[in-house]
Amino acid sequence: MPDTDKVFAGSIPKIYDDYLVPMIFAVYAEDMARRVAARSPSVLLEIAAGTGAVTRAVAAALPRGVRYVATDLNEPMLAVAAQRQSDDDRITWRQADGMALPFGNAEFDVVCCQFGAMFFPDRIKAYGEVKRVLKGDGTFVFNVWDRIEDNVLTHEATAALGKLFPDDPPRFMIRTPHGYHDKAVIRGDLERAGFRDISIETRSEISRAPSAEYVAVALCQGTPLRSEIEARDAGKLQAATDIVAETIRTRHGSGPVEGKIQAIVIEARP
């Protein structure tokens, strides 16, 4: 995985929050919030909080008196998250690397992570860090995207970009967001990190957007796919956005767009 796959900076964080969060992340954030609230944590850690989609949903589901630490590798993402969140003295925002968590042993009741595990260079090490900071009866709740073929709009966008760059198609979406979906591998990684009680389920939802252009901007300009496009030709970002929009419009019409999305949701305990 290239280092650029992990960089969410420049104009990406705001577009990500304005477009991608409502399009594909919010529905899974609500699911995450339900799962976390069911554990009634008093001290909660979120890894890879991004622009705060899960933070907002979880905070709304938890009572007063909870201590909630929300972290991300990319400070520009956290800046958007903190700005979006209403004043809440339960929440502490902190830049942190998921593979070297700056917290003590057995400090948290629950650790949650939405669509972040795919970006860990060493997942077993990251899971080991989660186990270390979890209390003995704690729970790790996280999700990852299923294969790209089960995520319709992203799959169609990736195929469209392959036509614009036939000699070197951008593969960020296949390689990273949709590159860690084998349930046996996920279970094995968790077991090697010391987790024993593991449940894994597939969860399908519907992604909705007001237009094909909205989808194209979300994917081409609100993710590190943007960096991959610009690395091939800095002047073709708009052309890339346009070809994705045209592809989505051809398949789904000129009005609001819907497409299947699918994730894998995991709950693990030591």
Side-chain angles (χ1 to χ4, degrees), residues 122-181:
D122 184 335
R123 296 183 187 101
I124 296 169
K125 183 178 180 180
Y127 297 159
E129 278 290 275
V130 171
K131 181 177 180 293
R132 179 183 66 78
V133 304
L134 268 177
K135 296 178 182 179
D137 59 350
T139 304
F140 179 28
V141 185
F142 70 106
N143 53 23
V144 296
W145 289 117
D146 208 336
R147 9 169 259 151
I148 196 168
E149 291 83 358
D150 289 313
N151 289 268
V152 171
L153 302 178
T154 305
H155 185 43
E156 291 171 351
T158 300
L161 290 173
K163 297 176 182 176
L164 183 63
F165 300 102
D167 297 329
D168 187 14
R171 295 185 60 81
F172 164 73
M173 290 295 183
I174 298 170
R175 180 177 61 243
T176 300
H178 298 278
Y180 184 59
H181 53 75

Coordinates of all heavy atoms in Angstrom, one line a residue, residues 122-181:
D122 N 0.2 -2.9 9.2 CA 0.4 -4.2 9.9 C -0.8 -4.4 10.8 O -0.9 -3.9 11.9 CB 1.7 -4.2 10.8 CG 2.0 -5.5 11.4 OD1 1.1 -6.3 11.7 OD2 3.2 -5.7 11.7
R123 N -1.8 -5.1 10.3 CA -3.0 -5.3 11.0 C -2.9 -6.1 12.3 O -3.5 -5.8 13.3 CB -4.1 -5.9 10.1 CG -4.4 -5.0 8.9 CD -5.5 -5.5 8.0 NE -5.6 -4.7 6.8 CZ -5.0 -5.0 5.7 NH1 -4.4 -6.2 5.5 NH2 -5.1 -4.2 4.6
I124 N -2.1 -7.1 12.3 CA -1.9 -7.9 13.5 C -1.3 -7.0 14.6 O -1.7 -7.0 15.8 CB -1.0 -9.1 13.3 CG1 -1.7 -10.0 12.3 CG2 -0.7 -9.8 14.6 CD1 -0.9 -11.1 11.7
K125 N -0.3 -6.2 14.3 CA 0.2 -5.2 15.3 C -0.8 -4.2 15.8 O -0.9 -4.0 17.0 CB 1.4 -4.5 14.6 CG 2.1 -3.5 15.6 CD 3.3 -2.8 14.9 CE 4.0 -1.9 15.9 NZ 5.2 -1.2 15.2
A126 N -1.6 -3.7 14.9 CA -2.7 -2.8 15.2 C -3.7 -3.5 16.2 O -4.1 -2.9 17.2 CB -3.4 -2.2 14.0
Y127 N -4.1 -4.7 15.8 CA -5.0 -5.4 16.7 C -4.4 -5.7 18.0 O -5.1 -5.7 19.1 CB -5.5 -6.7 16.0 CG -6.2 -6.5 14.7 CD1 -6.3 -7.6 13.8 CD2 -6.9 -5.3 14.4 CE1 -7.0 -7.4 12.6 CE2 -7.6 -5.2 13.2 CZ -7.6 -6.2 12.3 OH -8.3 -6.1 11.1
G128 N -3.1 -6.0 18.0 CA -2.4 -6.2 19.3 C -2.5 -5.0 20.2 O -2.6 -5.0 21.4
E129 N -2.3 -3.8 19.6 CA -2.4 -2.5 20.3 C -3.9 -2.3 20.9 O -4.0 -1.9 22.0 CB -2.1 -1.4 19.4 CG -0.6 -1.1 19.3 CD 0.0 -0.6 20.6 OE1 -0.1 0.6 20.8 OE2 0.5 -1.4 21.4
V130 N -4.9 -2.7 20.1 CA -6.2 -2.6 20.6 C -6.4 -3.5 21.8 O -7.0 -3.1 22.8 CB -7.2 -3.0 19.4 CG1 -8.7 -3.1 20.0 CG2 -7.2 -1.9 18.3
K131 N -6.0 -4.7 21.7 CA -6.1 -5.7 22.8 C -5.4 -5.2 24.0 O -5.9 -5.3 25.1 CB -5.5 -7.0 22.4 CG -5.6 -8.1 23.5 CD -5.2 -9.4 23.0 CE -5.3 -10.5 24.1 NZ -4.3 -10.2 25.3
R132 N -4.2 -4.5 23.8 CA -3.5 -4.0 25.0 C -4.2 -2.9 25.7 O -4.2 -2.9 27.0 CB -2.1 -3.5 24.5 CG -1.2 -2.9 25.6 CD 0.0 -2.3 25.0 NE -0.2 -1.1 24.2 CZ -0.5 0.1 24.6 NH1 -0.6 0.4 25.9 NH2 -0.6 1.1 23.8
V133 N -4.9 -2.0 25.0 CA -5.6 -0.9 25.7 C -7.0 -1.3 26.1 O -7.6 -0.5 26.9 CB -5.6 0.4 24.8 CG1 -4.2 0.7 24.4 CG2 -6.5 0.2 23.6
L134 N -7.5 -2.4 25.7 CA -8.8 -2.9 26.1 C -8.7 -3.5 27.5 O -7.8 -4.2 27.9 CB -9.4 -3.9 25.2 CG -10.2 -3.5 24.0 CD1 -10.6 -4.8 23.2 CD2 -11.5 -2.8 24.5
K135 N -9.8 -3.3 28.3 CA -9.9 -4.0 29.6 C -10.2 -5.5 29.3 O -10.6 -5.8 28.2 CB -11.1 -3.4 30.4 CG -10.8 -2.0 30.8 CD -12.0 -1.4 31.6 CE -11.7 0.1 32.0 NZ -12.8 0.7 32.7
G136 N -10.0 -6.3 30.2 CA -10.1 -7.8 30.0 C -11.4 -8.2 29.5 O -11.5 -9.2 28.8
D137 N -12.5 -7.5 29.9 CA -13.8 -7.9 29.4 C -14.3 -6.9 28.3 O -15.5 -6.8 28.1 CB -14.8 -7.9 30.6 CG -14.9 -6.5 31.3 OD1 -14.0 -5.7 31.0 OD2 -15.8 -6.4 32.2
G138 N -13.4 -6.2 27.7 CA -13.7 -5.2 26.7 C -14.0 -5.8 25.4 O -13.9 -7.0 25.1
T139 N -14.5 -4.9 24.5 CA -14.9 -5.3 23.1 C -14.3 -4.4 22.1 O -14.3 -3.2 22.2 CB -16.5 -5.3 23.0 OG1 -17.1 -6.1 24.0 CG2 -16.9 -5.8 21.6
F140 N -13.9 -5.0 21.0 CA -13.4 -4.3 19.8 C -14.4 -4.4 18.8 O -14.8 -5.5 18.3 CB -12.1 -4.9 19.4 CG -11.4 -4.3 18.2 CD1 -11.6 -3.0 17.8 CD2 -10.6 -5.0 17.4 CE1 -11.0 -2.4 16.7 CE2 -10.0 -4.5 16.2 CZ -10.2 -3.2 15.9
V141 N -15.0 -3.3 18.3 CA -16.1 -3.3 17.3 C -15.5 -2.5 16.1 O -15.1 -1.4 16.2 CB -17.3 -2.6 17.8 CG1 -18.4 -2.7 16.8 CG2 -17.8 -3.2 19.1
F142 N -15.5 -3.2 14.9 CA -15.0 -2.5 13.7 C -15.7 -3.0 12.5 O -16.3 -4.1 12.5 CB -13.5 -2.5 13.7 CG -12.9 -3.9 13.3 CD1 -12.4 -4.1 12.1 CD2 -12.8 -4.8 14.3 CE1 -11.8 -5.3 11.8 CE2 -12.2 -6.1 14.0 CZ -11.7 -6.3 12.8
N143 N -15.5 -2.3 11.4 CA -16.0 -2.8 10.1 C -15.0 -2.5 9.0 O -14.1 -1.6 9.2 CB -17.4 -2.2 9.8 CG -17.5 -0.7 9.9 OD1 -16.4 0.0 9.8 ND2 -18.7 -0.1 10.1
V144 N -15.2 -3.2 7.9 CA -14.4 -3.0 6.7 C -15.3 -3.2 5.5 O -16.4 -3.8 5.6 CB -13.2 -4.1 6.7 CG1 -12.2 -3.9 7.8 CG2 -13.7 -5.5 6.6
W145 N -14.9 -2.6 4.4 CA -15.7 -2.8 3.2 C -15.6 -4.2 2.7 O -14.5 -4.8 2.7 CB -15.3 -1.8 2.1 CG -15.7 -0.4 2.4 CD1 -14.9 0.7 2.6 CD2 -17.1 0.1 2.6 NE1 -15.6 1.8 2.9 CE2 -16.9 1.5 2.9 CE3 -18.3 -0.5 2.5 CZ2 -18.1 2.3 3.1 CZ3 -19.4 0.3 2.7 CH2 -19.3 1.7 3.0
D146 N -16.6 -4.8 2.1 CA -16.6 -6.0 1.4 C -16.0 -5.8 0.0 O -15.5 -4.7 -0.3 CB -18.0 -6.6 1.3 CG -18.0 -8.1 1.2 OD1 -16.9 -8.7 0.8 OD2 -19.0 -8.8 1.6
R147 N -15.9 -6.8 -0.8 CA -15.2 -6.7 -2.1 C -15.9 -5.6 -2.9 O -17.1 -5.3 -2.8 CB -15.3 -8.0 -2.9 CG -16.1 -9.1 -2.4 CD -16.3 -10.3 -3.4 NE -17.6 -10.2 -4.0 CZ -17.8 -10.6 -5.2 NH1 -16.9 -11.1 -5.9 NH2 -19.0 -10.5 -5.7
I148 N -15.1 -5.1 -3.8 CA -15.6 -3.9 -4.6 C -16.8 -4.3 -5.4 O -17.7 -3.5 -5.7 CB -14.5 -3.3 -5.4 CG1 -14.9 -1.9 -5.8 CG2 -14.1 -4.2 -6.5 CD1 -13.7 -1.1 -6.4
E149 N -16.9 -5.5 -5.9 CA -18.0 -5.9 -6.7 C -19.3 -5.8 -6.0 O -20.4 -5.8 -6.6 CB -17.8 -7.4 -7.2 CG -16.6 -7.5 -8.2 CD -15.3 -7.6 -7.6 OE1 -15.2 -7.6 -6.3 OE2 -14.3 -7.8 -8.3
D150 N -19.3 -5.9 -4.7 CA -20.5 -5.8 -3.9 C -20.8 -4.3 -3.5 O -21.7 -4.1 -2.7 CB -20.4 -6.6 -2.6 CG -20.5 -8.1 -3.0 OD1 -21.4 -8.5 -3.7 OD2 -19.7 -8.9 -2.5
N151 N -20.0 -3.4 -4.0 CA -20.2 -2.0 -3.7 C -20.3 -1.3 -5.1 O -19.4 -0.9 -5.7 CB -19.1 -1.4 -2.9 CG -19.1 -2.0 -1.5 OD1 -19.7 -1.3 -0.6 ND2 -18.5 -3.1 -1.3
V152 N -21.6 -1.2 -5.6 CA -21.9 -0.9 -7.0 C -21.3 0.4 -7.5 O -20.6 0.4 -8.5 CB -23.4 -0.9 -7.2 CG1 -23.7 -0.5 -8.6 CG2 -23.9 -2.3 -6.9
L153 N -21.5 1.5 -6.9 CA -21.1 2.8 -7.4 C -19.5 2.9 -7.5 O -19.0 3.4 -8.4 CB -21.7 3.9 -6.6 CG -23.2 3.9 -6.6 CD1 -23.7 5.1 -5.7 CD2 -23.8 4.0 -8.0
T154 N -18.9 2.4 -6.4 CA -17.4 2.4 -6.4 C -16.9 1.5 -7.5 O -15.9 1.9 -8.1 CB -16.9 2.0 -5.0 OG1 -17.5 2.9 -4.0 CG2 -15.4 2.1 -4.9
H155 N -17.5 0.4 -7.7 CA -17.0 -0.5 -8.7 C -17.2 0.1 -10.1 O -16.2 0.0 -10.9 CB -17.8 -1.8 -8.6 CG -17.4 -2.9 -9.5 ND1 -16.1 -3.3 -9.7 CD2 -18.2 -3.8 -10.3 CE1 -16.0 -4.3 -10.6 NE2 -17.3 -4.6 -10.9
E156 N -18.3 0.7 -10.3 CA -18.5 1.3 -11.6 C -17.6 2.5 -11.9 O -17.0 2.7 -13.0 CB -20.0 1.8 -11.7 CG -21.0 0.7 -11.8 CD -22.4 1.1 -11.7 OE1 -22.7 2.3 -11.3 OE2 -23.3 0.2 -11.9
A157 N -17.3 3.3 -10.8 CA -16.4 4.4 -10.9 C -14.9 3.9 -11.2 O -14.2 4.5 -12.1 CB -16.3 5.2 -9.6
T158 N -14.5 2.9 -10.6 CA -13.2 2.3 -10.8 C -13.0 1.8 -12.2 O -12.0 2.0 -12.9 CB -12.9 1.2 -9.8 OG1 -13.0 1.7 -8.5 CG2 -11.5 0.6 -10.0
A159 N -14.1 1.1 -12.7 CA -14.0 0.7 -14.1 C -14.0 1.8 -15.1 O -13.2 1.8 -16.1 CB -15.3 -0.2 -14.4
A160 N -14.7 2.9 -14.8 CA -14.7 4.1 -15.7 C -13.3 4.7 -15.7 O -12.8 5.1 -16.8 CB -15.7 5.1 -15.2
L161 N -12.6 4.8 -14.6 CA -11.3 5.4 -14.6 C -10.3 4.5 -15.3 O -9.3 5.1 -15.8 CB -10.9 5.6 -13.1 CG -11.6 6.7 -12.4 CD1 -11.2 6.7 -10.9 CD2 -11.4 8.1 -13.0
G162 N -10.5 3.2 -15.4 CA -9.7 2.4 -16.1 C -9.7 2.7 -17.6 O -8.7 2.5 -18.3
K163 N -10.8 3.2 -18.1 CA -10.9 3.6 -19.5 C -10.1 4.9 -19.8 O -9.6 5.1 -20.9 CB -12.4 3.8 -19.9 CG -13.2 2.5 -19.8 CD -14.6 2.7 -20.1 CE -15.4 1.4 -20.0 NZ -16.9 1.6 -20.2
L164 N -10.1 5.8 -18.8 CA -9.4 7.1 -18.9 C -7.9 6.9 -18.8 O -7.1 7.6 -19.5 CB -9.8 8.1 -17.8 CG -9.2 9.5 -17.9 CD1 -9.6 10.2 -19.2 CD2 -9.7 10.3 -16.7
F165 N -7.5 5.9 -18.0 CA -6.0 5.6 -17.9 C -5.8 4.1 -18.1 O -5.5 3.3 -17.2 CB -5.6 5.9 -16.4 CG -5.8 7.4 -16.0 CD1 -6.8 7.7 -15.2 CD2 -4.9 8.3 -16.4 CE1 -7.0 9.1 -14.8 CE2 -5.0 9.7 -16.0 CZ -6.1 10.0 -15.2
P166 N -6.0 3.7 -19.4 CA -5.9 2.3 -19.7 C -4.5 1.6 -19.4 O -4.5 0.4 -19.2 CB -6.3 2.2 -21.2 CG -5.9 3.6 -21.7 CD -6.2 4.5 -20.6
D167 N -3.5 2.4 -19.5 CA -2.1 1.8 -19.3 C -1.7 1.7 -17.9 O -0.8 1.0 -17.5 CB -1.1 2.7 -20.1 CG -1.3 2.7 -21.6 OD1 -1.8 1.7 -22.1 OD2 -1.0 3.7 -22.2
D168 N -2.4 2.5 -17.0 CA -2.1 2.5 -15.6 C -3.3 2.8 -14.8 O -3.4 3.9 -14.2 CB -1.0 3.5 -15.3 CG -0.4 3.4 -13.9 OD1 -0.8 2.4 -13.2 OD2 0.2 4.3 -13.5
P169 N -4.3 2.0 -14.8 CA -5.6 2.3 -14.1 C -5.5 2.6 -12.6 O -4.7 1.8 -11.9 CB -6.5 1.1 -14.4 CG -5.6 0.0 -14.7 CD -4.4 0.6 -15.3
P170 N -6.1 3.6 -12.1 CA -6.0 3.8 -10.6 C -6.7 2.7 -9.9 O -7.8 2.3 -10.2 CB -6.8 5.1 -10.4 CG -6.8 5.8 -11.8 CD -6.8 4.7 -12.8
R171 N -6.0 2.1 -8.9 CA -6.5 0.9 -8.2 C -6.6 1.2 -6.7 O -6.7 0.2 -5.9 CB -5.6 -0.3 -8.5 CG -5.6 -0.7 -9.9 CD -4.7 -1.9 -10.2 NE -5.2 -3.1 -9.4 CZ -6.2 -3.9 -9.8 NH1 -6.9 -3.6 -10.9 NH2 -6.6 -4.9 -9.0
F172 N -6.7 2.4 -6.3 CA -6.8 2.7 -4.9 C -8.0 2.0 -4.2 O -7.8 1.4 -3.2 CB -6.9 4.2 -4.6 CG -7.4 4.6 -3.2 CD1 -6.5 4.5 -2.1 CD2 -8.7 5.1 -3.0 CE1 -7.0 4.8 -0.9 CE2 -9.1 5.4 -1.8 CZ -8.3 5.3 -0.7
M173 N -9.1 2.1 -4.8 CA -10.3 1.6 -4.2 C -10.2 0.0 -4.1 O -10.7 -0.5 -3.1 CB -11.6 1.9 -5.1 CG -11.9 3.4 -5.0 SD -12.4 3.9 -3.3 CE -12.9 5.6 -3.6
I174 N -9.7 -0.6 -5.1 CA -9.6 -2.1 -5.1 C -8.5 -2.5 -4.1 O -8.7 -3.4 -3.3 CB -9.2 -2.6 -6.5 CG1 -10.3 -2.3 -7.5 CG2 -8.9 -4.1 -6.4 CD1 -9.9 -2.6 -8.9
R175 N -7.4 -1.7 -4.1 CA -6.2 -2.1 -3.3 C -6.4 -1.9 -1.8 O -6.0 -2.7 -1.0 CB -5.1 -1.2 -3.8 CG -3.7 -1.5 -3.0 CD -2.6 -0.6 -3.6 NE -2.9 0.8 -3.6 CZ -3.1 1.6 -4.6 NH1 -3.0 1.1 -5.8 NH2 -3.3 2.9 -4.5
T176 N -7.1 -0.8 -1.4 CA -7.1 -0.4 0.0 C -8.5 -0.5 0.6 O -8.8 -1.3 1.4 CB -6.4 0.9 0.2 OG1 -5.0 0.8 -0.2 CG2 -6.4 1.3 1.7
P177 N -9.4 0.4 0.3 CA -10.7 0.4 0.9 C -11.4 -1.0 0.8 O -12.0 -1.5 1.7 CB -11.5 1.5 0.2 CG -10.5 2.5 -0.2 CD -9.3 1.6 -0.6
H178 N -11.2 -1.6 -0.4 CA -11.9 -2.9 -0.7 C -10.9 -4.1 -0.8 O -11.2 -5.1 -1.4 CB -12.7 -2.8 -2.0 CG -13.8 -1.8 -1.9 ND1 -15.0 -2.1 -1.3 CD2 -13.9 -0.5 -2.2 CE1 -15.8 -1.0 -1.3 NE2 -15.1 0.0 -1.9
G179 N -9.8 -3.9 -0.1 CA -8.7 -4.9 -0.2 C -8.6 -5.8 1.0 O -7.6 -6.6 1.0
Y180 N -9.5 -5.7 1.9 CA -9.3 -6.5 3.2 C -10.7 -7.0 3.6 O -11.4 -6.5 4.4 CB -8.7 -5.7 4.3 CG -8.4 -6.4 5.6 CD1 -7.6 -7.5 5.6 CD2 -9.0 -5.9 6.8 CE1 -7.3 -8.1 6.8 CE2 -8.7 -6.5 8.0 CZ -7.9 -7.6 8.0 OH -7.6 -8.2 9.2
H181 N -11.2 -8.1 2.9 CA -12.6 -8.5 3.0 C -12.7 -10.0 3.2 O -13.8 -10.6 3.4 CB -13.4 -8.1 1.8 CG -12.8 -8.6 0.5 ND1 -12.9 -9.8 0.1 CD2 -12.2 -7.8 -0.4 CE1 -12.3 -9.9 -1.1 NE2 -11.8 -8.7 -1.4

